[in-house]
Amino acid sequence: MLIIDEQTAGHLLDAQEAFHAVEETFAAMARGQARNFPVVREALGHADALYGFKSGFDSAGATLGLKAGGYWPHNAEHGLTNHQSSVFLFDPDTGRPTAMVSGNHLTAMRTAAACAVSIRHLARTDADTLGIVGAGHQAVYQLRAAAAQRRFERVVAWNRTPGRLTELAAAAEALGLAFETPPLHRLGHEADVIVTITSCHEPLLMAEHVGPGTHLACMGTDTAGKQEIDPLILQQAQVFTDEAAQAVGLGECQHAVDAGQLDVERIQALGDVVTGQCAGRTAAGDITVFDGTGVGLQDLSVARRVAARALEAGRGQHIHF
Ligand code: NAD
């Protein structure tokens, strides 16, 4: 069994590889070759933590495993990020463990990659302004991955506490992109692509804030009760997701479906767009929404690539188990 620590995992996965891993995973799900198993997520009643498992099996990529971890809101006091996770991979032929890979950097990379896959397949090709709503740990990863998908010239960003936008500004500058911080309603109108990546529990972006032709990648809502956008946007938009069951249960779609504003039948899999089974954006003036809820197979696919790179490069620690 190979053990790969956080720093090594960070060195062995780049954004392009994460993109291909996630795009292939969505395609395998669409072809019925890969499936996610039911998610376990529980409040521990200790340290205010949320803890759980995401797992799945991809027969096309021979990938079986799980990600264990969750959210510890007081971790800054220990000098740690709030999200902590580890990925375990198993040999699908024998059930023997093959690798344990630290999953913190991987989670950020696979989440940003899912957002990027949605932009690649759904955003207008002439999109030139990228909007980022949120400036937490995930935001810079999102910005970098999104920026690679179109010839963006400008980033418009908003955060509840504007002081936290400095890291995003530096990341935009490093990519040669102009950076502005308009109020949220103006951001909605100015951006052609908007990535939302907050822990909000009520709509931030309202329907009247979003212009025709916009692509929204809603990445923050991954738990029942969270919400980032007005359900009216979903009522009016073409809606895509990583996995419909998760979108309805714990993604951005949960509220619009509950309110009767979004028929479950209208939620399409991004994987179907990747494989060509679904056309994707049908008109330049349409609003498209990707509800990126985060599936276990994304974690497994990037972890598998890291484990393969580690074997090639002689990195990681081997143990008899
Ligand atoms: P973080 O704690 O570092 O940052 C949280 C962000 O949310 C900050 O920008 C904060 O200002 C904003 N925020 C919180 N409450 C708000 C409110 N009421 N109004 C406006 N803004 C508010 O978190 P992070 O690691 O950057 O993750 C952001 C979100 O993305 C989290 O909710 C996390 O669970 C989610 N996430 C989703 C996936 C996925 O696959 N979909 C993966 C990882 C994280």
Side-chain angles (χ1 to χ4, degrees):
M1 178 178 177
L2 189 57
I3 300 186
I4 302 169
D5 65 30
E6 182 66 20
Q7 201 183 11
T8 308
H11 284 138
L12 293 174
L13 183 74
D14 65 27
Q16 213 177 347
E17 189 143 29
F19 181 97
H20 291 306
V22 170
E23 190 181 47
E24 273 172 26
T25 296
F26 288 164
M29 286 164 58
R31 291 191 193 101
Q33 295 168 314
R35 69 192 170 104
N36 295 287
F37 303 142
V39 174
V40 173
R41 195 162 164 90
E42 297 288 334
L44 283 187
H46 176 83
D48 298 324
L50 288 174
Y51 170 73
F53 305 100
K54 285 187 170 180
S55 62
F57 176 50
D58 178 349
S59 61
T63 308
L64 174 68
L66 65 87
K67 178 169 86 167
Y71 184 70
W72 278 260
H74 311 300
N75 266 6
E77 295 158 22
H78 308 288
L80 298 167
T81 57
N82 293 346
H83 292 273
Q84 290 294 323
S85 62
S86 307
V87 179
F88 296 83
L89 298 175
F90 302 94
D91 179 342
D93 295 324
T94 64
R96 294 288 299 157
T98 54
M100 173 181 167
V101 188
S102 183
N104 299 346
H105 176 75
L106 262 51
T107 299
M109 294 292 278
R110 65 74 148 150
T111 306
C115 166
V117 171
S118 85
I119 295 169
R120 166 85 55 100
H121 291 278
L122 296 171
R124 289 188 345 260
T125 49
D126 63 350
D128 64 18
T129 301
L130 171 63
I132 307 276
V133 177
H137 176 70
Q138 283 277 334
V140 168
Y141 290 90
Q142 296 291 332
L143 186 154
R144 290 197 188 113
Q149 299 310 317
R150 291 290 182 269
R151 289 170 192 263
F152 291 109
E153 292 168 3
R154 188 164 69 116
V155 173
V156 285
W158 181 92
N159 193 53
R160 185 174 54 164
T161 43
R164 286 188 74 178
L165 288 164
T166 47
E167 217 187 321
L168 274 180
E173 195 186 331
L175 294 167
L177 300 171
F179 186 80
E180 292 164 29
T181 56
L184 201 49
H185 65 274
R186 249 184 52 211
L187 179 155
H189 278 293
E190 292 180 13
D192 303 306
V193 171
I194 302 173
V195 180
T196 60
I197 185 71
T198 72
S199 307
C200 204
H201 283 71
E202 62 210 25
L204 280 169
L205 263 186
M206 305 310 289
E208 63 269 23
H209 297 163
V210 179
T214 307
H215 173 63
L216 286 108
C218 299
M219 307 306 298
T221 298
D222 57 357
T223 306
K226 283 189 188 171
Q227 185 173 17
E228 297 188 292
I229 68 167
D230 184 352
L232 199 53
I233 299 175
L234 291 157
Q235 188 174 23
Q236 296 165 349
Q238 281 187 265
V239 181
F240 301 85
T241 189
D242 39 26
E243 190 177 86
Q246 277 203 183
V248 172
L250 50 81
E252 195 59 44
C253 289
Q254 62 184 290
H255 310 283
V257 169
D258 286 351
Q261 288 169 292
L262 175 64
D263 186 342
V264 177
E265 302 298 313
R266 279 216 300 115
I267 305 173
Q268 295 172 292
L270 180 56
D272 283 342
V273 184
V274 174
T275 58
Q277 294 170 71
C278 160
R281 167 180 290 279
T282 51
D286 284 350
I287 292 173
T288 51
V289 174
F290 172 59
D291 182 0
T293 64
V295 294
L297 285 170
Q298 283 171 252
D299 299 296
L300 305 188
S301 67
V302 288
R304 182 175 65 85
R305 290 201 180 214
V306 165
R309 292 279 162 276
L311 277 177
E312 283 164 18
R315 305 284 298 271
Q317 257 182 291
H318 287 272
I319 59 160
H320 289 288
F321 185 78

